[in-house]
Amino acid sequence: AASARKEPWPPSSSTRWMPWKLAQTAERLARFGYAAELRGTVVPLATLLAQSCSGKVAVQPERTGRLSIEAIRSITSAAGNVDQMRGDVRAALGTSFEKCLQDLREEQPAADDLISIFCAGQDPQPYLHVDLT
């Protein structure tokens, strides 16, 4: 969340983490069995995605967007409680998340999965994970 708000973490330091590195870490952790523990990161990841679509991510916005999509897909596919995640994302971002997914669907095939989950209300499907590095 601090990275999405462009704040240092920990707060007493001057360290600012690259958004794409955090998205990549979340995706990997979800892929290796920690999806349930990462449920609370869906809104910050969706925020990073929306920021990457609107040009508010200065360093590697395409990579940040792609990794955010994959992380959100990994988490929603394995964590359960998707209805809560849908509501949280909509409450935090309104329609900007959905608009971003629509804009990215040709470039990012995983965006279609998130459109099905978040916009059409479908249950997520398990899928084969691949390393995105």
Side-chain angles (χ1 to χ4, degrees), residues 24 51 57 66 72-74 87-88 90 97 104 124 130:
Q24 183 178 46
Q51 288 175 349
V57 174
R66 175 177 50 85
I72 294 167
R73 183 170 70 164
S74 293
D88 292 347
R90 187 166 302 225
F97 178 68
L104 292 174
V130 295

Side-chain angles (χ1 to χ4, degrees), residues 65-95:
R66 175 177 50 85
L67 290 167
S68 295
I69 287 171
E70 291 293 344
I72 294 167
R73 183 170 70 164
S74 293
I75 293 165
T76 57
S77 294
N81 202 8
V82 177
D83 290 333
Q84 179 69 45
M85 287 185 259
R86 280 185 198 114
D88 292 347
V89 168
R90 187 166 302 225
L93 299 172
T95 60

